[in-house]
Amino acid sequence: LLEQHAQYIVIYGISGSGKTSLIAKIAEKLKDWFHNINFITVIRFIGTSEDSYNIQNLLSSIIKQLAHCFDLIINYEEMTPIDKLYNYFKKFLIEISQECVDDQQVFILLDSLDQLSPEYSSRKLDWFPIGLPKNIRFIVSTLNDRQYEAFQAIQNLVKNTSNNYIEITELNED
């Protein structure tokens, strides 16, 4: 994560292994690790509320938060239907990247991609942005269970290089 080229971090493992705790701890520690740069953190714990399962709500809320942080105007016509929202999300992140000053970074932490509703095939991650500028970073977590599709989808999108995949194994009694 501390390396400049670690743009995508994927945390995966079985249910109850501590992925959510790790995402929360990373969000907390970003201030210590990046104390010398200006950064913005967006964090979403998917599945913790009824609205958080829905991909439209998730992407819209991220866009709104970032628009507020950068004082940008949202083009609401680009936010429906869902395929337009997927494209707008990716374009909006590029716009955000261009608004960053100096070495400013944006960290987007998404916990439990597997908890997304299967509606709109959101677990297949067609909405997930790849090829973004280096100052936009994603840290995501998911179950590695095939039934939820998210882990296989992220593996197809994000190359496993330089330790950017972190497996959380089952905690033992020790």
Side-chain angles (χ1 to χ4, degrees), residues 40 63-74 92 95-96 99:
I40 292 169
I63 289 169
K64 288 173 185 173
Q65 180 180 345
L66 289 171
H68 176 75
C69 291
F70 287 93
D71 198 26
L72 295 174
I73 296 171
I74 298 171
F92 192 79
E95 183 179 351
I96 290 295
E99 293 292 322

Side-chain angles (χ1 to χ4, degrees), residues 6-118:
Q7 188 173 12
Y8 299 95
I9 302 291
V10 177
I11 300 167
Y12 68 97
I14 63 171
S15 182
S17 59
K19 298 176 300 298
T20 298
S21 295
L22 182 55
I23 289 280
K25 192 61 154 178
I26 289 170
E28 177 186 315
K29 296 299 274 180
L30 283 173
K31 290 178 233 144
D32 297 332
W33 297 335
F34 295 96
H35 60 88
N36 57 338
I37 65 168
N38 184 12
F39 66 89
I40 292 169
T41 305
V42 174
I43 185 165
R44 298 292 185 274
F45 293 96
I46 301 166
T48 57
S49 71
E50 208 158 305
D51 283 345
S52 69
Y53 294 98
N54 181 286
I55 191 64
Q56 287 176 303
N57 293 340
L58 175 70
L59 299 182
S60 296
S61 73
I62 293 170
I63 289 169
K64 288 173 185 173
Q65 180 180 345
L66 289 171
H68 176 75
C69 291
F70 287 93
D71 198 26
L72 295 174
I73 296 171
I74 298 171
N75 182 350
Y76 286 98
E77 290 178 8
E78 292 291 322
M79 294 179 66
T80 56
I82 193 71
D83 57 332
K84 283 178 82 174
L85 175 60
Y86 288 177
N87 289 328
Y88 184 62
F89 180 64
K90 295 170 187 177
K91 287 190 298 189
F92 192 79
L93 290 175
I94 291 170
E95 183 179 351
I96 290 295
S97 148
Q98 295 165 351
E99 293 292 322
C100 290
V101 293
D102 300 323
D103 58 356
Q104 187 176 26
Q105 301 278 309
V106 175
F107 292 94
I108 301 174
L109 290 78
L110 302 176
D111 180 52
S112 300
L113 293 176
D114 52 276
Q115 291 294 310
L116 285 167
S117 164

